């Protein structure tokens, strides 16, 4: 779809074949990695301009403002593009749990065994 | 390709259409997000069993042991799968710079403007 994203930014993005870029959400002060979501140009535009993290849901095929349903809002503190312009790091202030399971982060529950 | 990854783990992974999973590398003590790479089953197996982060290079189409060329090794401290089993968080002890540009992380150089 068309997007209001700044064309100077859009021109630099390297998207996956489905037009998306992975976005890592990190708690700005503690450094916790909270979750990984996906953004297209418009989701990035909304994230940069509204102060609220907006993702593209690959399963529901719709925009998804984090916290609109759960109340677990992500207030945007900064957004950085990586050296290859194919990954975003979004530093946020996470209200409540980032994970839909109620865990603080999506990575809390399932640590894999090393050395096997 | 075939992999020696534990079948119990392999059965749970939700891979992208190209068979890969994004892997976030985070410095284990400072919390810095260093980079995002991609792993297939065998790269994950090698990461879990060798103590060194191994990725799949999408551009070169080969396995890539971080630091083999640069010396900027990532020693694996823990590996966690997220709640959807489609993203990995690898906590590492990064030797030197994580980024090929010489920056500590791949997200240091390009902060996007907010509110435009």
């Amino acid at each position: 779809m068309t997007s209001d994203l700044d064309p100077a930014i859009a021109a630099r993005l390297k998207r996956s074949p489905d037009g998306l870029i992975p976005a890592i959400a990190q708690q700005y002060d503690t450094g916790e990695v909270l979750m990984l979501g996906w953004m297209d140009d418009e989701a990035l535009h909304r994230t940069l301009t509204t102060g609220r993290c907006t993702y593209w849901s690959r399963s529901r095929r719709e925009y998804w403002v984090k916290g609109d349903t759960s109340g677990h809002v992500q207030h945007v503190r900064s957004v950085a593009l990586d050296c290859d312009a194919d990954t975003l790091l979004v530093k946020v202030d996470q209200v409540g749990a980032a994970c839909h399971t109620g865990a603080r982060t999506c990575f809390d529950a399932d640590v894999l065994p090393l050395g096997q």
Side-chain angles (χ1 to χ4, degrees), chain A:
Chain A
M1 65 171 284
T2 59
S3 166
D4 290 326
L5 181 65
D6 179 346
I9 296 173
R12 294 160 52 209
L13 297 180
K14 292 187 190 141
R15 305 166 192 80
S16 63
D18 50 5
L20 301 174
I21 290 191
I24 303 163
Q26 181 183 32
Q27 175 66 28
Y28 81 98
D29 50 0
T30 65
E32 292 164 293
V33 174
L34 299 166
M35 56 172 281
L36 183 138
W38 295 84
M39 294 185 186
D40 65 1
D41 287 31
E42 180 62 18
L44 174 56
H45 173 67
R46 296 182 190 182
T47 297
L48 289 170
T49 54
T50 66
R52 295 272 304 278
C53 267
T54 303
Y55 301 99
W56 174 257
S57 169
R58 295 180 298 173
S59 54
R60 299 193 305 274
R61 304 200 59 76
E62 63 183 17
Y63 293 106
W64 162 53
V65 181
K66 176 70 178 171
D68 263 4
T69 306
S70 65
H72 295 166
V73 171
Q74 292 176 338
H75 297 288
V76 176
R77 293 298 187 108
S78 66
V79 180
L81 193 58
D82 80 336
C83 55
D84 294 325
D86 64 7
T87 305
L88 293 159
L89 177 62
V90 185
K91 294 192 181 181
V92 304
D93 195 7
Q94 171 72 54
V95 175
C99 186
H100 72 284
T101 65
R104 172 67 180 169
T105 91
C106 293
F107 301 96
D108 287 350
D110 196 357
V111 177
L112 302 180
L114 298 179
Q116 292 190 342

